[in-house]
Each structure stands twice: as C-alpha cells, then as structure tokens.
Amino acid sequence: MAMTQGVQKNTLYVGGLAEEVNESILHAAFIPFGDIKDVKTPLDQATQKHRSFGFVTFLEREDATAAMDNMDGAELYGRVLTVNYALPERIKGGEQGWAAQPIWADADTWFERQQQEEEMRRIETENRAAMQAAEDLHRKQVAEQREGEKEEESETKEDPMAKAEAEGLQQ
C-alpha cells in the first residue's frame, strides 16, 4: 500500500469524537498502545469546543500503527472512531486560501508576478487609450461627413430668387 507523501506516521488523526471526550480521555484511550508524545483536540473558535476530531502523536511509529489498526472503527463514548495517519498541518495563506506550504515559499516569484501584472495593466491602459482615440477620430469624421452633406443640401435647396439676387449684386 503506497502512502501519500507528507504523511506523519507517528501522528494519528482521530475522527468521530463525542463532545464529552477531552484530551485526557483521548490520551487514556490510546496509551495502551505505547508512549504518547502529544494529544491535541483543535477547538472551534466560536464554540470553544473541539471540532469532533483530534491528533495523537506517539513516540514510536510502530505504536501509532498498532493504535490505528486497533482503534479504527472502535467505539468511544458511543461514537465510532475513524483513525488514520495524520497529514501535515496546513498553513493559512496562499492563493488557494489554504496552502500546504508557507506563504513566503513563493516570495521569489511574487515580485515577478507583480511586474507581469503591472505590465499587463500598462498595456491594457494603452489599448484603452488607443481605442478611445480611434473612436473619437471616427466620430469626428462621421460628424464632418454629415456637415458636408448638409452644406450640399442647403446649396441645392437655395431659393431661386435669393440666388438671382446674389448674382445681380455680384455684377
């Protein structure tokens, strides 16, 4: 059976904990399998109660394996436990919200990405300005074309009496 990379083989994830179970009860349930280094039951920030799971870290991997083999599917305070090898702690941050690596791990590429984003914004601004200038020029040309058409119309529609009068004044 292939284990995923990063699995901590001496730390167990214990899921399905009843509300009454605390760290000392969890410790007592797992101590028959070997020396325990640490027991943690992460608390829900809102309720200050554990989130129905915990972690038990054994000093020896073999003890963790024995505990997992014996306690997975076992009952504690009327609830069936799920016991697996724990995955490494995730660190808050990164582009996906939760990242498996520290937020500073991509610091060297961050500056490069910032420069690329800045360059893209500059190009977009230039493109918008060019498009606006082209639209303005087009509007101006259309307006001039319409003015030219109006002048032609007004010349052909001139009053014949006014035209004769203007010719008479020129002579």
Side-chain angles (χ1 to χ4, degrees):
M1 188 171 126
M3 285 287 148
T4 55
Q5 190 178 357
V7 171
Q8 298 175 353
K9 292 188 177 181
N10 61 334
T11 300
L12 299 177
Y13 163 85
V14 183
L17 297 178
E19 206 174 289
E20 310 90 307
V21 175
N22 58 28
E23 289 179 0
S24 59
I25 292 170
L26 197 57
H27 187 279
F30 281 82
I31 196 69
F33 303 100
D35 292 330
I36 294 174
K37 180 179 172 184
D38 192 26
V39 176
K40 291 261 187 280
T41 53
L43 298 180
D44 182 309
Q45 295 300 319
T47 63
Q48 290 301 308
K49 294 180 180 176
H50 68 72
R51 294 158 26 195
S52 74
F53 67 88
F55 299 97
V56 178
T57 304
F58 285 87
L59 289 175
E60 301 296 327
R61 287 180 179 200
E62 296 76 27
D63 296 339
T65 303
M68 182 175 69
D69 292 344
N70 286 283
M71 295 297 285
D72 187 38
E75 268 192 38
L76 183 64
Y77 280 72
R79 302 267 305 264
V80 177
L81 300 179
T82 301
V83 183
N84 296 308
Y85 289 118
L87 296 174
E89 250 186 272
R90 295 186 176 272
I91 298 170
K92 207 171 191 178
E95 292 176 348
Q96 288 79 30
W98 286 94
Q101 57 182 337
I103 195 166
W104 58 87
D106 66 348
D108 51 343
T109 59
W110 184 84
F111 291 107
E112 192 177 312
R113 287 196 315 271
Q114 293 302 312
Q115 288 176 327
Q116 288 171 350
E117 288 172 14
E118 186 64 35
E119 180 69 10
M120 288 301 293
R121 281 192 291 273
R122 186 184 64 74
I123 290 169
E124 286 173 6
T125 302
E126 286 175 6
N127 286 347
R128 273 197 298 273
M131 290 296 288
Q132 187 64 46
E135 278 183 36
D136 292 346
L137 180 63
H138 179 71
R139 283 192 190 110
K140 185 177 176 186
Q141 288 172 341
V142 168
E144 286 173 358
Q145 190 177 2
R146 285 185 184 147
E147 280 297 314
E149 288 171 3
K150 285 181 184 174
E151 285 176 16
E152 287 176 19
E153 284 177 20
S154 64
E155 286 175 10
T156 58
K157 287 185 178 178
E158 233 176 71
D159 182 22
M161 288 300 287
K163 199 174 187 181
E165 205 175 294
E167 284 174 8
L169 288 174
Q170 285 176 356
Q171 292 172 355

